Amino acid sequence: KAGVTQTPRYLIKTRGQQVTLSCSPISGHRSVSWYQQTPGQGLQFLFEYFSETQRNKGNFPGRFSGRQFSNSRSEMNVSTLELGDSALYLCASSASGTQTYEQYFGPGTRLTVT
Amino acid sequence: QKEVEQDPGPLSVPEGAIVSLNCTYSNSAFQYFMWYRQYSRKGPELLMYTYSSGNKEDGRFTAQVDKSSKYISLFIRDSQPSDSATYLCAMSLGGSYIPTFGRGTSLIVHP
């Protein structure tokens, strides 16, 4: 089975712009979670989608949003980028809605905001 | 106090050593305990997870959970330079609850 894929792998954006990141989960997985990873804060949970519905949400401002499509693929969007949004954005998928302890991560999208 | 505490290291050991990586936690309701390995500039890779207390072994890796002490460990036997990575622990209440991650311990295995 193919693993979790994320596109693009690298992005450079300017402060104030917006960005959309994409994630394709492992085939058959229905839960997709997004995380932000920085050296200072570690891995921080953004949100989780299951069956096209946002089921869990972390403590991030409304500039961070996401969605999930009927094929379980997910996108996250960050509007009005700030320098502090520079991070590795990770997507993780789980097979079912009750096994979110067993998450498989993609390679991440490294976002640099200048 | 953070929910999950993990020493960031780095932990430097010679090849062949037994490595012990540890996490402590404060929420006694956690039921699932996971260990991830993350190589530089890659996403975390799930090594193993354990339900409740006890030990679980997978090749050179052994995960140990002591719920009474709120302490978990990952042991790596016969460590190799290829084991050099950051190891993150994570814990979950189970079900649809999102795991809580430690900050990770950097491990360096030198030849």
Side-chain angles (χ1 to χ4, degrees):
Chain A
K1 257 188 193 178
V4 177
T5 58
Q6 292 186 246
T7 57
R9 293 292 312 279
Y10 302 92
L11 262 181
I12 300 175
K13 290 286 189 179
T14 304
R15 194 170 39 181
Q17 288 186 312
Q18 76 162 22
V19 66
T20 299
L21 313 181
S22 181
C23 171
S24 291
I26 292 172
S27 178
H29 283 198
R30 296 170 61 197
S31 167
V32 174
S33 297
W34 288 90
Y35 294 85
Q36 181 195 68
Q37 188 177 38
T38 60
Q41 299 295 323
L43 206 61
Q44 292 188 284
F45 171 70
L46 282 155
F47 29 67
E48 182 237 358
Y49 285 86
F50 178 74
S51 293
E52 301 179 65
T53 301
Q54 187 181 89
R55 190 169 60 169
N56 289 292
K57 188 177 188 307
N59 190 27
F60 275 80
R63 301 185 296 106
F64 293 82
S65 63
R67 59 178 175 167
Q68 186 181 34
F69 302 96
S70 58
N71 61 359
S72 293
R73 192 177 70 83
S74 178
E75 289 181 347
M76 68 162 280
N77 184 77
V78 188
S79 62
T80 319
L81 284 165
E82 300 177 0
L83 294 178
D85 297 333
S86 294
L88 181 67
Y89 289 87
L90 292 158
C91 162
S93 74
S94 301
S96 76
T98 56
Q99 288 180 278
T100 47
Y101 54 86
E102 189 177 352
Q103 294 189 330
Y104 296 89
F105 283 83
T109 294
R110 185 162 298 278
L111 172 64
T112 303
V113 182
T114 62
Chain B
Q1 181 193 12
K2 290 180 84 65
E3 248 190 324
V4 177
E5 299 275 5
Q6 189 174 12
D7 188 329
L11 176 63
S12 182
V13 301
E15 183 176 355
I18 296 175
V19 175
S20 173
L21 302 164
N22 311 296
C23 288
T24 58
Y25 62 95
S26 57
N27 188 346
S28 58
F30 284 136
Q31 293 291 329
Y32 290 87
F33 303 88
M34 293 76 75
W35 285 97
Y36 286 83
R37 176 176 62 195
Q38 185 174 22
Y39 291 114
S40 181
R41 310 193 82 80
K42 304 279 189 184
E45 171 194 1
L46 179 63
L47 289 174
M48 60 173 64
Y49 67 87
T50 310
Y51 173 70
S52 195
S53 280
N55 293 3
K56 186 173 184 178
E57 189 174 317
D58 184 0
R60 295 185 296 112
F61 297 88
T62 300
Q64 197 171 76
V65 175
D66 182 350
K67 292 191 77 177
S68 62
S69 302
K70 299 195 189 72
Y71 188 89
I72 71 169
S73 301
L74 178 71
F75 297 97
I76 307 174
R77 290 186 300 281
D78 188 25
S79 57
Q80 303 295 310
S82 58
D83 294 326
S84 298
T86 296
Y87 290 80
L88 298 103
C89 65
M91 302 164 191
S92 171
L93 298 172
S96 63
Y97 288 94
I98 298 301
T100 301
F101 285 81
R103 296 280 296 273
T105 298
S106 174
L107 172 67
I108 301 167
V109 182
H110 51 87

